Amino acid sequence: MTAGYKEDKEDWQAVCLKYLLFVFNFLFWMGGAAVLGVGVWTLVEKSDYLSLLASSTFAVSAYILILAGSLVVVTGFLGCCAVIREQRSCLSTYFLCLLLIFLIELVAGVLAYVYYQKLSEELKHHLNQTMTENYAQPGKEAITLAVDKLQQDFKCCGSNNSHDWLMSVYISSKPAESRVVPDSCCKTIIPLCGKRDHPSNIYKVEGGCITKLEQFLADHLLIIGAVGIGVACLQLAGAVLTACFIYLLYKEEEEDLGTL
């Protein structure tokens, strides 16, 4: 009676864990899609500004999320097969994959958080130099396009203010044709509109483009970090469930061998 009760209890636990793992795999796939989506969205939508950053940490965090999201899709399928077949070897592989992806996403989240702390200092030391020394210079087309897009998208002019452009290599050169700011500073862009720096003609934003870009990147770094760490915690819960299921299968195999 006691042995039968114990066996029924273990069967009930195995069934519950099995269905819990199916539910987890569904959530796992959704989390993986979110991770992959955030990674791709970050690179596609924000790639224009990557050339203005001194370090590649922002891009690396996004690439790590894309890698982790792709692995989740494959691992989720493996997890369903492993649960259905109830094979300890498949479940053990699934468990190791969960731990690997957990570490990858945790790294992405931590990188995003660390870079978030350093973002303000990096922009203050690097952005003004990049804009004044590289804008409209040979071989720096990517930076020129990024600066023009930055000033138009955020309706700003100059790193700190429009006067920063007076110290730039471009404004001091003949191709500038007496401009005091690039044409991308203008509210309405027409050829040579950068000759007038009156507030009615160009964008005058307190804090300049540094403030706007810093807030923009900080918001997206928080999203990267939150998604990476959030899904990593979900996977850790899945790893615990998988380990419990493997243990129950092991006990069942031991009991089956004991009855022979």
Side-chain angles (χ1 to χ4, degrees), residues 3-260:
Y5 173 76
K6 184 178 178 182
E7 186 178 334
D8 289 342
K9 183 180 178 182
E10 288 177 353
D11 288 343
W12 176 81
Q13 288 174 340
V15 170
C16 284
L17 276 173
K18 189 172 183 177
Y19 282 108
L20 276 173
L21 280 170
F22 274 122
V23 172
F24 166 75
N25 266 300
F26 175 72
L27 295 175
F28 188 44
W29 264 321
M30 289 183 65
V35 167
L36 185 61
V38 168
V40 172
W41 167 70
T42 299
L43 288 180
V44 171
E45 288 289 317
K46 326 307 166 196
S47 59
D48 295 314
Y49 306 126
L50 295 181
S51 59
L52 301 177
L53 304 177
S55 75
S56 58
T57 309
F58 186 82
V60 168
S61 297
Y63 281 120
I64 291 175
L65 286 183
I66 291 173
L67 171 63
S70 302
L71 288 174
V72 164
V73 175
V74 178
T75 305
F77 177 75
L78 172 64
C80 283
C81 293
V83 173
I84 291 169
R85 298 179 69 178
E86 295 187 7
Q87 289 185 343
R88 282 200 298 129
S89 57
C90 291
L91 284 167
S92 298
T93 303
Y94 177 58
F95 175 77
L96 292 174
C97 288
L98 284 177
L99 288 182
L100 175 63
I101 299 172
F102 167 76
L103 292 174
I104 290 173
E105 290 182 343
L106 196 60
V107 166
V110 170
L111 276 177
Y113 178 76
V114 170
Y115 188 56
Y116 174 78
Q117 303 298 314
K118 298 179 179 179
L119 180 61
S120 180
E121 284 302 312
E122 177 183 313
L123 290 177
K124 286 176 183 176
H125 286 92
H126 184 74
L127 186 60
N128 185 51
Q129 181 181 0
T130 299
M131 293 173 74
T132 56
E133 294 182 5
N134 298 309
Y135 183 82
Q137 298 307 299
K140 302 294 183 180
E141 289 79 11
I143 290 178
T144 302
L145 288 172
V147 170
D148 285 339
K149 182 174 175 58
L150 174 70
Q151 295 192 138
Q152 280 295 299
D153 287 353
F154 294 120
K155 303 185 188 316
C156 57
C157 183
S159 179
N160 295 291
N161 54 62
S162 60
H163 299 301
D164 291 339
W165 284 112
L166 297 176
M167 304 298 295
S168 74
V169 176
Y170 168 66
I171 295 301
S172 303
S173 65
K174 286 184 178 179
E177 300 181 61
S178 301
R179 291 179 176 87
V180 289
V181 294
D183 290 345
S184 58
C185 281
C186 299
K187 295 178 179 178
T188 302
I189 297 179
I190 58 173
L192 300 177
C193 65
K195 285 187 173 183
R196 288 182 62 245
D197 62 353
H198 191 272
S200 63
N201 185 51
I202 67 169
Y203 294 115
K204 296 273 189 178
V205 179
E206 186 177 348
C209 292
I210 279 184
T211 304
K212 295 282 190 177
L213 183 59
E214 181 183 348
Q215 186 60 53
F216 175 81
L217 294 176
D219 289 344
H220 290 89
L221 282 170
L222 285 175
I223 293 172
I224 291 175
V227 168
I229 293 175
V231 176
C233 292
L234 176 66
Q235 287 164 216
L236 192 59
V240 172
L241 287 174
T242 306
C244 293
F245 194 47
I246 293 171
Y247 175 70
L248 283 177
L249 291 177
Y250 174 76
K251 283 182 68 178
E252 286 179 4
E253 289 178 11
E254 288 290 308
E255 288 173 2
D256 290 341
L257 288 172
T259 56
L260 293 177

